[in-house]
Amino acid sequence: HTGFTTDELLKSIHQFEINGKFDLVSLLIGVNNQYRNYSIDIYQKEFDELLQYAISKANDKTNVFVVSIPDWGFTPFGEQDKRGATQIGKEIDLFNSTAHEICKKNEIQFIDITAISRNHDTTFLAPDQLHPSGKQYGLWAEKIIKELKAKM
């Protein structure tokens, strides 16, 4: 089973009551929408719903941030996909630009880690040759921390 799509995350959120407010809320969702060929229109609507939910769970709207979705087309798994790495990359860019526009409209910080995921370094991948390795996640974390600090 792949990870959540926007509709699956919305369904899960509605199943479980998440009480309280949080000091920091992040959202990274959409790569599985793209992988499963879901419509960008559905993503736009559901991403906006998820972002509104994230905002509602934060102590302060300025403590919400969105992380771009990574490009799995650069992985051996992606290179074997019938769409090909170039097409996957174009679709990832469309999903990310859609999320970024929604973030701008809501004045939410958007942190782009996609460029990091587009590195052909094999040490950036987990043994399954699809998911990011700890090394890649570490670079994401460094970028996220740097951009969050710059906002303060």
Side-chain angles (χ1 to χ4, degrees):
H1 181 267
T2 61
F4 278 177
T5 56
T6 49
D7 62 317
E8 291 166 337
L9 181 54
L10 283 165
K11 182 180 176 187
S12 183
I13 285 170
H14 295 303
Q15 278 182 323
F16 302 99
E17 190 173 333
I18 301 173
N19 296 316
K21 298 273 187 168
F22 300 90
D23 293 333
L24 197 59
V25 180
S26 65
L27 180 62
L28 188 171
I29 189 81
V31 71
N32 288 300
N33 287 62
Q34 182 277 330
Y35 174 75
R36 296 187 204 173
N37 291 309
Y38 283 20
S39 143
I40 194 68
D41 295 331
I42 290 170
Y43 177 71
Q44 183 176 21
K45 177 186 174 293
E46 293 175 348
F47 179 86
D48 192 41
E49 286 178 52
L50 288 164
L51 185 61
Q52 297 313 313
Y53 181 78
I55 292 168
S56 78
K57 298 313 292 177
N59 283 327
D60 185 303
K61 173 180 169 171
T62 62
N63 295 339
V64 176
F65 68 95
V66 169
V67 178
S68 70
I69 59 176
D71 187 345
W72 62 277
F74 276 69
T75 69
F77 186 86
E79 289 168 353
Q80 294 172 10
D81 188 270
K82 66 183 183 297
R83 289 171 281 190
T86 302
Q87 181 61 31
I88 291 167
K90 286 178 184 175
E91 292 171 11
I92 294 290
D93 288 345
L94 178 60
F95 277 75
N96 278 327
S97 66
T98 299
H100 193 195
E101 285 304 312
I102 294 168
C103 287
K104 277 198 254 183
K105 180 181 78 177
N106 288 278
E107 300 174 314
I108 298 298
Q109 187 172 14
F110 183 86
I111 300 174
D112 187 354
I113 57 81
T114 307
I116 296 169
S117 72
R118 288 180 167 151
N119 190 319
H120 286 283
D121 183 339
T122 57
T123 66
F124 276 37
L125 297 175
D128 70 1
Q129 296 295 288
L130 172 62
H131 292 94
S133 67
K135 179 178 181 178
Q136 185 174 171
Y137 279 127
L139 292 173
W140 292 9
E142 286 175 16
K143 180 161 188 178
I144 291 166
I145 291 166
K146 181 180 176 187
E147 292 202 23
L148 290 175
K149 282 183 176 179
K151 186 181 81 167
M152 293 177 176

Coordinates of all heavy atoms in Angstrom, one line a residue, residues 18 22-23 26 30 37 49 53 56 115 120 132-133 146:
I18 N -8.8 14.9 16.9 CA -7.5 15.4 17.3 C -7.8 16.7 18.1 O -8.2 17.7 17.6 CB -6.6 15.8 16.1 CG1 -6.4 14.5 15.2 CG2 -5.3 16.4 16.5 CD1 -5.7 14.7 13.9
F22 N -1.7 23.2 18.4 CA -0.3 22.8 18.4 C 0.6 24.0 18.0 O 0.2 25.0 17.3 CB -0.1 21.7 17.3 CG -0.8 20.5 17.7 CD1 -2.1 20.3 17.2 CD2 -0.3 19.5 18.5 CE1 -2.9 19.2 17.6 CE2 -1.0 18.4 18.9 CZ -2.3 18.2 18.4
D23 N 1.9 24.0 18.5 CA 2.8 25.1 18.3 C 3.3 25.2 16.9 O 3.7 26.2 16.4 CB 4.0 25.0 19.2 CG 3.6 25.2 20.7 OD1 2.6 25.9 20.9 OD2 4.3 24.7 21.6
S26 N 2.7 21.1 10.2 CA 3.2 20.9 8.8 C 2.3 20.1 8.0 O 1.6 19.2 8.5 CB 4.6 20.3 8.8 OG 4.6 19.0 9.3
G30 N 0.4 14.9 -1.4 CA 0.1 15.0 -2.8 C 0.9 14.0 -3.7 O 0.4 13.8 -4.8
N37 N -2.4 9.1 -10.5 CA -3.1 9.8 -11.6 C -4.4 10.5 -11.2 O -5.3 10.6 -12.0 CB -3.3 8.9 -12.8 CG -2.0 8.5 -13.4 OD1 -1.2 9.3 -13.8 ND2 -1.9 7.2 -13.6
E49 N -8.7 22.0 1.7 CA -9.4 21.6 2.9 C -8.4 21.2 4.0 O -8.6 21.5 5.2 CB -10.3 20.4 2.6 CG -11.6 20.7 1.8 CD -12.4 19.4 1.5 OE1 -12.7 18.6 2.5 OE2 -12.7 19.2 0.3
Y53 N -7.7 22.8 7.7 CA -7.7 22.0 8.9 C -6.4 22.2 9.7 O -6.4 22.4 10.9 CB -7.8 20.5 8.6 CG -7.8 19.6 9.8 CD1 -9.0 19.6 10.6 CD2 -6.7 18.9 10.2 CE1 -9.0 18.8 11.7 CE2 -6.7 18.2 11.3 CZ -7.8 18.1 12.1 OH -7.8 17.3 13.3
S56 N -6.5 25.4 11.4 CA -7.4 25.3 12.6 C -6.7 24.6 13.8 O -7.1 24.8 14.9 CB -8.7 24.6 12.2 OG -8.5 23.2 12.2
A115 N 13.8 20.1 -5.2 CA 15.1 20.1 -5.8 C 16.0 19.1 -5.2 O 16.8 18.4 -5.9 CB 15.7 21.5 -5.8
H120 N 20.5 12.5 -8.3 CA 20.7 11.1 -8.7 C 21.6 10.3 -7.8 O 21.9 9.2 -8.1 CB 21.2 11.0 -10.2 CG 20.1 11.4 -11.2 ND1 19.2 10.5 -11.5 CD2 19.9 12.5 -11.9 CE1 18.4 11.0 -12.5 NE2 18.8 12.2 -12.7
P132 N 13.0 8.3 0.2 CA 14.2 9.0 0.6 C 14.9 8.2 1.7 O 14.3 7.6 2.6 CB 13.7 10.3 1.1 CG 12.3 10.5 0.5 CD 11.8 9.1 0.4
S133 N 16.2 8.4 1.7 CA 17.1 7.8 2.8 C 17.1 8.8 3.9 O 16.7 10.0 3.8 CB 18.5 7.6 2.3 OG 19.1 8.8 2.0
K146 N 16.2 26.0 8.4 CA 16.7 27.2 7.9 C 15.6 28.2 7.5 O 15.7 29.4 7.9 CB 17.7 27.0 6.8 CG 18.4 28.2 6.2 CD 19.3 27.8 5.0 CE 19.9 29.1 4.4 NZ 20.6 28.8 3.2

